[in-house]
Amino acid sequence: MRTVIQRVTEASVTVNAEGYQASIGKGLLVLAAFIDEDTEEDVAWTARKIAAMRIFDDADGIMNLSVRDVDGEILAISQFTLYASTVKGNRPSYIKAAKPDVAVPLYESFLSALDAELGKPVERGIFGADMKVALLNDGPVTIITDSKLKF
C-alpha cells in the first residue's frame, strides 16, 4: 500500500457527476493506492502511521505533533496512479495497481481504520470517480509511505 500525505490548511474533493463534495480544514490530504499483495496488515500499519506521524508544528515551530494532537482532519482519496511504472516509454503503465475487486475492499478498510485511529470520521473521495481535488499545502509538507518498505 502506498500513500502520499500532504499537510494542508484546507482540502476538498468534488465529483460533479454525482454532485458530491467533501472538504476539510487543517489536517492531511491522503492519496492512497493498493496492489494485489496488500493485506489488512498493510492497511492497519498505514493508518496507524498516518495518524501518529508528527508533521505538525508545536509551540516552538518544530514538527512534533500528529494530526490527532492538533485535532486535525483527514481527507482520503483513492489514486491508483501512485503505482504507475514509468520505466519504459512515455506512457505510464498501471499494471501493478490492484483492480477494483481487490482495491475497493482495501480502500473501505483503510477508511475505517483511519476513522478509528483519528477518533472521528475522515472525509473521503469516491473510488473510481473522476474527482477534482483542491488543496492548500501547508509548508509544503509532503510525505510518501509504502507498507512494503516498512522494515
Side-chain angles (χ1 to χ4, degrees):
M1 179 177 178
R2 188 172 287 168
T3 66
V4 172
I5 305 157
Q6 296 180 295
R7 187 178 75 181
V8 299
T9 55
E10 61 185 58
S12 64
V13 61
T14 303
V15 183
N16 288 333
E18 283 86 3
Y20 177 84
Q21 183 168 12
S23 62
I24 63 168
K26 179 179 183 175
L28 301 174
L29 171 64
V30 178
L31 307 174
F34 307 91
I35 57 175
D36 287 340
E37 294 79 20
D38 284 332
T39 66
E40 290 296 322
E41 180 182 323
D42 294 295
V43 167
W45 178 87
T46 303
R48 277 192 311 273
K49 180 63 80 174
I50 290 169
M53 194 172 294
R54 298 180 337 186
I55 58 174
F56 289 88
D57 293 348
D58 64 15
D60 296 321
I62 307 296
M63 283 197 288
N64 202 27
L65 301 173
S66 71
V67 67
R68 285 187 296 222
D69 296 332
V70 300
D71 195 30
E73 300 175 282
I74 296 177
L75 172 58
I77 308 286
S78 62
Q79 188 172 347
F80 74 93
T81 60
L82 295 180
Y83 277 106
S85 173
T86 58
V87 175
K88 279 179 49 178
N90 294 317
R91 183 170 183 247
S93 169
Y94 305 106
I95 195 77
K96 192 167 182 180
K99 302 292 184 269
D101 62 317
V102 171
V104 170
L106 288 169
Y107 177 60
E108 293 298 327
S109 180
F110 178 58
L111 294 171
S112 295
L114 280 176
D115 287 346
E117 291 291 338
L118 191 59
K120 60 184 173 184
V122 300
E123 295 295 329
R124 54 205 66 199
I126 297 175
F127 188 93
D130 180 18
M131 296 176 275
K132 305 302 181 215
V133 179
L135 71 139
L136 185 54
N137 195 316
D138 181 19
V141 174
T142 302
I143 309 288
I144 299 169
T145 67
D146 191 320
S147 64
K148 300 305 185 217
L149 302 175
K150 65 184 173 234
F151 300 108

